[in-house]
């Protein structure tokens, strides 16, 4: 017969306590795992952009975009009301100073030129007639002077003859005095006539001058009308390219209306727009690199527009005289303005929506692990694609710079999956 042996009560209680302790440990482990899982977010490695912190010299660059523009431009307008008769050249055509762009028509202007020329001919004829009349009048007065002179000389001879005869009593004293009086009167008439002739010459000269002034005025009117008539052939005026043509065949133009815009081809500048937040570090004289997508041109900042438009400011960059073949007016370009050069600083490729002189939270990859820890970085100046790191990182630290706004912003750890 078998005998049933009962376990001691103390041993049973010990086993029970061990079981409770194991259960508690499992519960604590599950709670810790759940808390860790709740604070950890997973992302795929191929979906994020990872960049390392670098140490070295960094150029503080302000980037912008814009176009190449002609430094020399000329706006051609209609000098008189006219109609477009012929369009000779179209936009993009290379022009020389005498190149005709359009031909205009104005019959009234042709008639005005003809009338002005006819009036000019009439004034010229009047001037010739005036000179002839003046010359005839001078000749008449000169003839009168010659006649008086002859009479005066005859009176002088008569007076001298009577002066000898009066002593002999042949000529009376009265006759002699009459001869003396006549001589004196003729002498005075001669003197008056000479003065009259001199005065008459001055009057004639002034009348000729007045007529010549009228002639010059009319010549000016003819020249003005002829210039307007010649301007019906709209010419470029200098070597360049026809950038804009503002008229079409048969269009009626008013005085001063735009016809075309001519711009230089070789003398170019770059007009670029930079963000308002970065323009304070741009000053006149700084070096800039203009990228035409095929060539890079080094220039200098020559002007900063004082007006802000669409949160950007226009910067003018002067370019060298010799330009590559890819540089053309109205070409879209990118520009990098070198504001400063930082010596031996930490920097990283600029994360999304980051501002200079600010703090940002980025996930730093843990070496030898598939996790990333949330780290606060203090940032400095923006330098194009890069930004200075003042504190919070060391060289070769890897950070996720992608936009993770769709993740939990407070998650201290990020799991990286293959």
């Amino acid at each position: 017969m078998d005998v049933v042996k009962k376990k001691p009560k103390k041993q049973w209680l010990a086993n029970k306590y061990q079981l409770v302790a194991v259960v508690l440990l499992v519960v604590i482990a599950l709670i810790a795992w759940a808390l860790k899982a709740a604070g950890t977010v997973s992302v795929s490695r191929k979906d994020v952009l990872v960049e390392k912190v670098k140490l070295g010299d960094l150029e503080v660059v302000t980037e912008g975009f814009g176009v190449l523009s002609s430094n020399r431009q000329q706006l051609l307008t209609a000098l008189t009301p006219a109609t477009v008769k012929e369009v000779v050249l179209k936009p993009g055509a290379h022009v020389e100073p005498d190149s005709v762009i359009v031909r205009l028509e104005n019959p009234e202007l042709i008639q005005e030129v003809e009338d002005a020329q006819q009036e000019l001919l009439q004034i010229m004829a009047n001037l010739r007639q005036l000179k002839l009349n003046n010359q005839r009048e001078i000749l008449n007065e000169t003839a009168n002077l010659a006649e008086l002179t002859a009479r005066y000389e005859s009176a002088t001879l008569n007076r001298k003859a009577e002066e000898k005869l009066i002593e002999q009593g042949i000529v009376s004293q009265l006759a002699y005095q009459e001869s003396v009086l006549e001589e004196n009167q003729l002498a005075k008439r001669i003197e008056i006539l000479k003065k009259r002739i001199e005065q008459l010459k001055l009057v004639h000269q002034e009348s000729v001058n007045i007529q010549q002034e009228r002639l010059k005025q009319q010549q000016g009117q003819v020249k003005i009308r002829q210039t307007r008539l010649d301007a019906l052939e709209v010419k470029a005026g200098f070597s360049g390219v026809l950038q804009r043509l503002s008229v079409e065949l048969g269009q009626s133009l008013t005085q001063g209306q735009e016809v075309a815009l001519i711009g230089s081809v070789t003398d170019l500048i770059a007009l670029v727009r930079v963000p308002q937040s970065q323009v304070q570090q741009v000053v006149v004289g700084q070096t800039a690199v203009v990228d035409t997508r095929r060539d890079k041109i080094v220039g200098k900042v020559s002007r900063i527009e004082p007006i802000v438009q669409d949160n950007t400011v226009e910067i003018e960059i002067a370019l060298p005289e010799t330009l590559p073949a890819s540089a053309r007016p109205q070409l879209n370009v990118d520009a990098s303005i070198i504001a400063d050069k930082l010596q031996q600083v930490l920097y990283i490729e600029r994360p999304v929506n980051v501002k200079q002189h600010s703090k940002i939270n980025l996930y730093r990859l843990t070496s030898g692990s598939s996790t990333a820890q949330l780290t606060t970085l203090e940032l400095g100046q923006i330098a194009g694609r890069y930004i200075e790191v003042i504190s919070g990182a060391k060289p070769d630290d890897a950070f996720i710079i992608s936009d993770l706004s769709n993740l939990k912003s407070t998650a201290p750890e990020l799991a990286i999956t293959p």
Side-chain angles (χ1 to χ4, degrees):
M1 181 175 178
D2 295 333
V3 179
V4 178
K5 296 182 180 180
K6 296 182 179 180
K7 294 183 180 179
K9 187 176 182 179
K10 291 183 178 180
Q11 186 177 1
W12 179 82
L13 290 174
N15 291 336
K16 182 178 180 181
Y17 290 147
Q18 289 177 358
L19 180 61
V20 171
V22 171
V23 172
L24 288 175
L25 289 174
V26 171
V27 171
I28 292 172
L30 289 174
I31 293 173
W33 178 84
L35 291 174
K36 183 177 181 181
T40 303
V41 180
S42 297
V43 296
S44 175
R45 176 65 179 83
K46 63 181 181 180
D47 294 335
V48 295
L49 181 62
V50 177
E51 290 293 333
K52 288 186 177 182
V53 176
K54 300 176 183 178
L55 176 65
D57 296 338
L58 182 64
E59 289 184 342
V60 179
V61 177
T62 300
E63 295 185 338
F65 63 92
V67 296
L68 296 182
S69 178
S70 300
N71 189 32
R72 182 185 177 192
Q73 291 182 319
Q74 181 167 307
L75 185 65
L76 304 179
T77 60
L79 294 183
T80 58
T83 303
V84 180
K85 180 181 179 180
E86 180 183 1
V87 176
V88 180
L89 299 177
K90 295 182 179 181
H94 288 267
V95 296
E96 296 299 329
D98 294 331
S99 298
V100 178
I101 299 173
V102 295
R103 289 188 175 93
L104 308 178
E105 186 178 34
N106 186 341
E108 294 181 357
L109 185 57
I110 297 176
Q111 185 62 44
E112 289 179 4
V113 172
E114 292 179 354
D115 292 343
Q117 289 176 342
Q118 289 296 328
E119 187 174 353
L120 176 62
L121 294 175
Q122 184 62 46
I123 293 175
M124 294 174 64
N126 293 340
L127 179 59
R128 292 196 301 271
Q129 183 64 45
L130 177 62
K131 290 181 177 180
L132 289 175
N133 292 338
N134 292 342
Q135 187 176 6
R136 184 182 299 111
E137 191 172 358
I138 292 295
L139 289 175
N140 291 335
E141 295 299 328
T142 303
N144 293 335
L145 178 60
E147 181 181 355
L148 284 178
T149 303
R151 290 175 57 187
Y152 171 73
E153 292 175 352
S154 176
T156 302
L157 291 176
N158 186 46
R159 190 262 312 164
K160 289 181 179 180
E162 289 180 351
E163 187 177 2
K164 295 179 180 180
L165 295 175
I166 196 175
E167 296 177 357
Q168 301 175 4
I170 300 175
V171 177
S172 66
Q173 186 70 28
L174 179 59
Y176 173 74
Q177 292 299 326
E178 289 177 351
S179 298
V180 172
L181 180 60
E182 183 181 3
E183 181 184 11
N184 293 335
Q185 288 178 346
L186 290 173
K188 290 180 180 180
R189 289 180 62 185
I190 291 173
E191 182 180 358
I192 293 173
L193 186 55
K194 286 182 177 179
K195 291 181 179 181
R196 180 184 176 184
I197 292 175
E198 294 297 324
Q199 190 66 31
L200 191 60
K201 289 181 179 179
L202 295 177
V203 172
H204 287 171
Q205 184 61 46
E206 186 63 24
S207 62
V208 171
N209 292 340
I210 293 173
Q211 193 69 11
Q212 286 178 338
E213 288 296 328
R214 291 186 57 193
L215 178 63
K216 290 180 180 179
Q217 291 177 0
Q218 190 60 30
Q219 287 175 337
Q221 292 296 323
V222 171
K223 185 176 181 181
I224 291 173
R225 285 169 171 77
Q226 186 64 47
T227 300
R228 291 178 178 177
L229 182 62
D230 295 340
L232 293 179
E233 280 196 344
V234 182
K235 298 182 180 180
F238 69 94
S239 299
V241 65
L242 177 58
Q243 295 183 352
R244 184 170 69 235
L245 183 64
S246 305
V247 299
E248 58 185 13
L249 189 65
Q251 180 179 350
S252 295
L253 305 179
T254 59
Q255 184 176 0
Q257 185 171 344
E258 178 183 337
V259 175
L261 178 66
I262 307 298
S264 57
V265 178
T266 56
D267 187 6
L268 301 179
I269 57 174
L271 298 176
V272 300
R273 307 200 70 87
V274 301
Q276 178 186 358
S277 59
Q278 301 180 30
V279 74
Q280 65 270 12
Q281 63 188 18
V282 179
V283 296
V284 174
Q286 288 178 341
T287 301
V289 179
V290 178
D291 189 357
T292 66
R293 310 300 197 280
R294 289 180 56 188
D295 301 283
K296 291 186 177 181
I297 309 170
V298 178
K300 288 189 178 296
V301 176
S302 58
R303 183 179 62 86
I304 302 175
E305 182 72 31
I307 301 175
V308 178
Q309 184 178 1
D310 297 331
N311 295 322
T312 61
V313 177
E314 186 178 79
I315 306 295
E316 180 180 306
I317 300 174
L319 303 179
E321 294 182 1
T322 303
L323 297 174
S326 61
R328 301 192 307 271
Q330 304 305 313
L331 176 69
N332 292 328
V333 295
D334 296 326
S336 300
I337 302 172
I338 303 173
D340 195 7
K341 188 171 184 179
L342 304 177
Q343 304 289 337
Q344 291 299 302
V345 296
L346 295 175
Y347 63 92
I348 191 173
E349 188 165 331
R350 189 171 55 182
V352 178
N353 298 326
V354 69
K355 296 181 180 180
Q356 61 182 0
H357 302 298
S358 62
K359 292 185 178 181
I360 188 173
N361 293 324
L362 294 179
Y363 285 99
R364 177 170 54 191
L365 272 64
T366 303
S367 178
S369 174
S370 60
T371 60
Q373 302 295 326
L374 193 64
T375 305
T376 300
L377 299 182
E378 183 180 358
L379 306 177
Q381 298 187 62
I382 292 178
R385 294 174 48 223
Y386 302 97
I387 190 168
E388 179 188 9
V389 178
I390 297 178
S391 63
K394 60 182 183 295
D396 295 328
D397 282 352
F399 288 87
I400 297 175
I401 64 172
S402 301
D403 184 10
L404 301 178
S405 58
N406 59 328
L407 302 178
K408 296 180 181 179
S409 59
T410 58
E413 188 174 86
L414 190 68
I416 308 297
T417 60

